[in-house]
Amino acid sequence: DTEVTQTPKHLVMGMTNKKSLKCEQHMGHRAMYWYKQKAKKPPELMFVYSYEKLSINESVPSRFSPECPNSSLLNLHLHALQPEDSALYLCASSQARSSETQYFGPGTRLLVL
Amino acid sequence: AQSVTQPDIHITVSEGASLELRCNYSYGATPYLFWYVQSPGQGLQLLLKYFSGDTLVQGIKGFEAEFKRSQSSFNLRKPSVHWSDAAEYFCAVGEPGGGNKLTFGTGTQLKVEL
């Protein structure tokens, strides 16, 4: 099973709202990732968790707050977002070794009004 | 720092024709190499990968890629394209021993004419 699931599929939120994106994998992977993807662009790495610890934060604004409650789950908490944060948010997972194959979820399409 | 170049932003081929998508990388040693495909509004699906060994790699959906060290290339090929292959294709490289980051190319949009 190489499936990464993400909920919700779509999300519309106002700039004062608080919402969360969820990601789950059951492949036994110990590295999990959040990416942001704008239209017609490659994914941009936001955060990496390795063994449930934050290992990479690509200078992401604090209005995005990641959380890794356990080895299978990854959350992205959103607060006070801006319209330019509208994008496809992708979760991925991999073995924790260096540059292992990353398996992506279907993404959450976020629209900030 | 490593980089990835996909020189073709858009490619249009007729259904049944052969396809080659180009990918060049810049890295001091042999990186890990990946091709992903993304349909509109979807996540990325792994087509194939190269870590070491045989330089011709077979993937899913009839795709293959060849690693050429001398040209720093990892081009993706398919002998006969189907209309369902229309999508965005991303080449990516990882640095062995360099952590979990992948560097993506800018992507190639494939259109298939019926």
Side-chain angles (χ1 to χ4, degrees):
Chain A
D1 183 8
T2 57
E3 187 176 11
V4 176
T5 59
Q6 291 187 243
T7 55
K9 286 189 186 346
H10 302 275
L11 180 61
V12 180
M13 59 186 292
M15 289 189 284
T16 58
N17 292 158
K18 284 186 182 181
K19 297 286 185 183
S20 296
L21 308 185
K22 296 185 184 302
C23 174
E24 189 167 9
Q25 58 88 15
H26 293 289
M27 293 179 277
H29 291 165
R30 301 305 297 273
M32 296 186 77
Y33 310 75
W34 279 117
Y35 287 87
K36 174 184 178 181
Q37 187 181 28
K38 299 287 254 183
K40 308 293 186 189
K41 298 290 187 185
E44 297 174 31
L45 184 65
M46 300 174 72
F47 303 103
V48 180
Y49 274 83
S50 181
Y51 294 98
E52 295 88 70
K53 287 186 171 33
L54 184 64
S55 61
I56 296 177
N57 177 340
E58 293 286 90
S59 302
V60 178
S62 60
R63 56 186 184 269
F64 294 92
S65 175
E67 178 195 20
C68 190
N70 60 54
S71 60
S72 300
L73 292 174
L74 185 67
N75 298 322
L76 186 63
H77 303 297
L78 314 173
H79 173 53
L81 293 193
Q82 303 296 310
E84 60 265 28
D85 296 321
S86 299
L88 182 68
Y89 288 84
L90 295 164
C91 174
S93 71
S94 75
Q95 300 290 349
R97 293 183 297 273
S98 175
S99 297
E100 282 291 333
T101 305
Q102 294 184 23
Y103 295 91
F104 286 80
T108 293
R109 175 71 62 186
L110 174 66
L111 177 62
V112 182
L113 301 175
Chain B
Q2 58 193 4
S3 65
V4 182
T5 301
Q6 292 181 247
D8 304 304
I9 298 174
H10 300 281
I11 282 186
T12 300
V13 299
S14 298
E15 190 175 35
S18 63
L19 171 70
E20 183 169 32
L21 302 183
R22 295 183 290 165
C23 173
N24 293 96
Y25 65 88
S26 173
Y27 180 60
T30 299
Y32 294 161
L33 296 158
F34 307 87
W35 274 101
Y36 287 91
V37 61
Q38 185 177 33
S39 297
Q42 302 296 314
L44 276 68
Q45 181 181 23
L46 178 71
L47 285 175
L48 47 76
K49 61 187 178 185
Y50 175 78
F51 284 6
S52 65
D54 192 345
T55 56
L56 185 61
V57 180
Q58 301 298 319
I60 63 170
K61 304 186 179 190
F63 285 92
E64 66 178 26
E66 186 171 12
F67 168 60
K68 292 186 177 179
R69 186 192 310 272
S70 61
Q71 298 176 23
S72 298
S73 69
F74 189 57
N75 294 349
L76 182 71
R77 301 193 294 247
K78 186 169 185 178
S80 177
V81 170
H82 189 263
W83 64 266
S84 59
D85 293 324
E88 187 86 21
Y89 291 78
F90 291 100
C91 180
V93 301
E95 183 179 342
N100 299 100
K101 292 179 70 168
L102 291 183
T103 300
F104 285 89
T106 50
T108 297
Q109 179 74 46
L110 173 66
K111 184 183 289 188
V112 180
E113 289 182 333
L114 299 176

